[in-house]
Amino acid sequence: GQNIDQPTEMTATEGAIVQINCTYQTSGFNGLFWYQQHAGEAPTFLSYNVLDGLEEKGRFSSFLSRSKGYSYLLLKELQMKDSASYLCAVTNNAGNMLTFGGGTRLMVKP
Amino acid sequence: DAGVIQSPRHEVTEMGQEVTLRCKPISGHDYLFWYRQTMMRGLELLIYFNNNVPIDDSGMPEDRFSAKMPNASFSTLKIQPSEPRDSAVYFCASSLLGGRGGETQYFGPGTRLLVL
C-alpha cells in the first residue's frame, strides 16, 4: 500500500520562502509529482522528480530523496496567488497510477 | 485545445437516485482516470482505463459504483443508488502515456455532487 504524509496547513508572508514537506512509505515507487490546486478548481501539474536531487523551475523547486522517502516543494518570492493546496503524489512501479497525499493548504498573507 | 470536459459541473440529487457523471478526455489520450475528492479522504483514484479497457478498479468503493468507456472520447461514472456519503467532487483526468516518464495527467474541472 501507499502512505503519504503532508502538513495540513501552512501560513507564510508575501515575498517570503516556504517549504512544504512530503514523506511517503510505498510498496512500489517510480516517481513523485507535485500539483497545485486552487479552491474550487482542478489540480494542475507543478513538478516531477524521479531521481534524487533538486529540480528547479522558476520560483518553484522540488527535491527528492528516494532512500529517505522524502520530498519537498520550495516556493520562493511568495505571491498572493500562491495561496492554494499543494498535493504530493507518488506513482506506482509502472508509473501509471497516482496516490495522492492529503494536500497542504498554503495561505499567503500580505 | 479544449482540455478534459466533464458534465454536469454540479449535481444535486436525493438519496436513492441514480447519478451519471460524464467525461470527454483530451483527443488522442489513451488513458482515462476517475478520481473522487473529499475533505476526509483527499483525492482518491477510483478506476482507470487504457484504450477504453478498465485496467484497475480497485479504488471503486462498492458495487453501487460502475464506470464505462464505450469509445475513446467518452466515459461515464454511474452511482446507483446514491447515498449522502457519495457527496464529493469527482474528477476525470486523461494522459497520453498513463503518467510514465513524468508525463502529467490533465484534470477536468470536476463534478460537484451533493446527495441529500
Side-chain angles (χ1 to χ4, degrees):
Chain A
Q2 316 275 54
N3 186 39
I4 303 170
D5 289 317
Q6 305 179 233
T8 305
E9 286 189 353
M10 298 182 71
T11 302
T13 304
E14 191 176 17
I17 299 173
V18 71
Q19 178 174 312
I20 302 174
N21 295 325
C22 171
T23 59
Y24 61 90
Q25 294 170 313
T26 60
S27 57
F29 179 87
N30 188 278
L32 187 146
F33 287 86
W34 283 95
Y35 284 82
Q36 181 189 58
Q37 185 177 26
H38 284 99
E41 297 183 9
T44 55
F45 171 78
L46 283 180
S47 68
Y48 175 74
N49 293 73
V50 62
L51 300 176
D52 286 0
L54 189 67
E55 295 279 344
E56 298 188 76
K57 195 183 287 186
R59 294 190 300 114
F60 293 6
S61 303
S62 57
F63 172 84
L64 176 67
S65 169
R66 296 175 70 115
S67 61
K68 295 182 179 178
Y70 169 67
S71 174
Y72 67 74
L73 181 68
L74 194 70
L75 292 76
K76 303 177 186 176
E77 303 170 13
L78 279 173
Q79 302 175 9
M80 298 298 292
K81 67 177 182 179
D82 297 330
S83 293
S85 288
Y86 292 85
L87 309 175
C88 168
V90 170
T91 63
N92 62 343
N93 281 335
N96 55 9
M97 288 178 63
L98 289 176
T99 301
F100 283 84
T104 299
R105 184 181 170 198
L106 174 66
M107 290 173 280
V108 180
K109 297 185 174 180
Chain B
D1 186 356
V4 177
I5 299 172
Q6 292 187 246
S7 65
R9 295 292 305 276
H10 303 270
E11 178 83 19
V12 180
T13 190
E14 293 187 344
M15 182 174 62
Q17 296 298 306
E18 177 180 296
V19 175
T20 300
L21 311 180
R22 297 173 177 80
C23 175
K24 176 179 169 54
I26 293 172
S27 178
H29 281 191
D30 292 334
Y31 288 81
L32 184 140
F33 304 82
W34 281 102
Y35 291 89
R36 177 174 67 176
Q37 187 173 40
T38 62
M39 289 293 292
M40 290 295 293
R41 300 176 66 90
L43 192 59
E44 304 173 284
L45 177 65
L46 299 177
I47 185 172
Y48 83 91
F49 295 82
N50 177 212
N51 291 321
N52 312 338
V53 177
I55 303 301
D56 192 308
D57 65 354
S58 58
M60 295 286 263
E62 48 199 273
D63 292 345
R64 296 185 298 107
F65 286 69
S66 63
K68 294 181 180 179
M69 192 164 185
N71 58 62
S73 59
F74 183 66
S75 177
T76 59
L77 178 67
K78 186 175 292 187
I79 308 173
Q80 167 62 23
S82 58
E83 297 183 2
R85 59 190 168 129
D86 301 331
S87 298
V89 181
Y90 290 82
F91 288 103
C92 176
S94 73
S95 70
L96 185 61
L97 302 174
R100 294 189 302 276
E103 183 218 13
T104 183
Q105 297 176 16
Y106 295 88
F107 285 79
T111 296
R112 293 183 175 274
L113 174 64
L114 177 61
V115 183
L116 302 174

